[in-house]
Amino acid sequence: MKLMTKTTCATLIAGAMLFGGSASAATKEESKWTTQYSNLKTGMTLSETAKVLYGKEYKKQLIQKSGSTILKKKADDSYSEQGQKSKVYVFANGKNQNIYTSLLFMTKKNSSVYRLIGKSLDVSRESSATGARESTRKLAKGATIKVGMTEKQLDAILSGTDLGEWTGLDSSDWTSVQSKSELALIGPVKSSLKIYVFPITTSKRKLVVMDYDYKKKTYRVGDQSSL
């Protein structure tokens, strides 16, 4: 799921035209879909997820197939491996369909119940220089972003306070579909990340991926590249 978000962001940025617009805060529409993303919890069954996506009419969006409850919406990808089945659904949201929600469901081994184990949210903007929702924060002249920096350390070399608006979110947690032996052997497989685009000059940008450090309970720079 993490790779899906990074790939989606890279595609949006690489394929975007240069409009030269300025960054701005989250719109009401963007906030709406961000709230929905927050309400989608890993471990939810597909039916529970559908209730968040569609509200009271969610049952009309479900069908039974091969003993499993799935969405009527055609899955963007389906596969089965070692007794576990998976489905990926991608939703193009917003008036201009520029807010993408991607959801990954998986069953336990030899089970028919799909559970949400991965989710991502990507916000694009044609009005920005890159096609991504850029942060309102700018990197200080001569400053260097280094892998391993905490949010606090990164904030210190940016204008204003905090990191501003992100362009992508991603979270995964396989606990609900891992067996007791897998949990005992490798522990819960989970990750969380945020992706930002920071302006440096009128023509240069930095793409920064922040990975969550569960031990230190903070996000750290996991990757960074120039645009």
Side-chain angles (χ1 to χ4, degrees):
M1 201 63 177
K2 181 185 293 188
L3 292 178
M4 180 184 299
T5 299
K6 289 183 179 179
T7 301
T8 302
C9 277
T11 300
L12 291 172
I13 293 169
M17 296 176 65
L18 298 181
F19 289 91
S22 59
S24 58
T27 66
K28 288 183 178 180
E29 190 172 68
E30 289 166 353
S31 295
K32 170 187 174 182
W33 298 109
T34 300
T35 297
Q36 183 194 79
Y37 175 87
S38 298
N39 290 335
L40 294 168
K41 309 296 184 183
T42 50
M44 280 182 167
T45 65
L46 197 146
S47 294
E48 291 169 335
T49 303
K51 192 171 184 179
V52 175
L53 295 174
Y54 301 108
K56 295 180 179 179
E57 301 297 311
Y58 77 98
K59 290 184 179 179
K60 295 181 180 180
Q61 304 298 327
L62 300 173
I63 59 172
Q64 293 291 318
K65 188 174 182 179
S66 302
S68 295
T69 298
I70 61 174
L71 293 177
K72 283 184 178 179
K73 171 183 168 62
K74 183 180 179 181
D76 291 84
D77 194 11
S78 298
Y79 52 94
S80 180
E81 186 176 5
Q82 297 181 346
Q84 288 181 289
K85 298 183 293 183
S86 302
K87 286 188 179 294
V88 176
Y89 295 94
V90 180
F91 302 83
N93 305 313
K95 182 179 179 180
N96 298 315
Q97 295 189 319
N98 61 335
I99 305 169
Y100 299 89
T101 301
S102 303
L103 304 177
L104 171 60
F105 296 90
M106 184 179 284
T107 68
K108 289 184 177 181
K109 288 183 179 179
N110 304 314
S111 171
S112 62
V113 180
Y114 282 94
R115 291 186 179 277
L116 181 64
I117 66 164
K119 59 177 186 172
S120 67
L121 182 65
D122 296 284
V123 180
S124 64
R125 278 188 182 173
E126 289 188 347
S127 60
S128 77
T130 56
R133 180 173 70 175
E134 298 180 3
S135 173
T136 54
R137 307 296 181 249
K138 293 184 178 181
L139 186 64
K141 186 177 181 180
T144 301
I145 298 175
K146 298 179 180 179
V147 172
M149 275 185 166
T150 63
E151 284 187 290
K152 185 176 181 180
Q153 290 170 326
L154 180 57
D155 181 20
I157 59 173
L158 298 172
S159 63
T161 303
D162 69 45
L163 308 185
E165 301 296 342
W166 44 263
T167 189
L169 296 177
D170 184 283
S171 181
S172 64
D173 186 345
W174 294 52
T175 305
S176 62
V177 296
Q178 286 179 273
S179 66
K180 289 183 178 179
S181 59
E182 288 172 327
L183 286 169
L185 181 63
I186 60 176
V189 179
K190 59 183 180 179
S191 66
S192 184
L193 63 84
K194 299 186 289 185
I195 299 174
Y196 293 87
V197 174
F198 298 111
I200 302 175
T201 64
T202 55
S203 60
K204 295 182 179 180
R205 303 288 188 274
K206 276 284 186 181
L207 176 68
V208 178
V209 179
M210 304 290 292
D211 290 297
Y212 190 69
D213 184 334
Y214 287 90
K215 290 183 178 180
K216 300 295 185 179
K217 299 186 183 303
T218 184
Y219 280 92
R220 293 181 180 275
V221 176
D223 192 18
Q224 63 88 26
S225 57
S226 298
L227 299 178

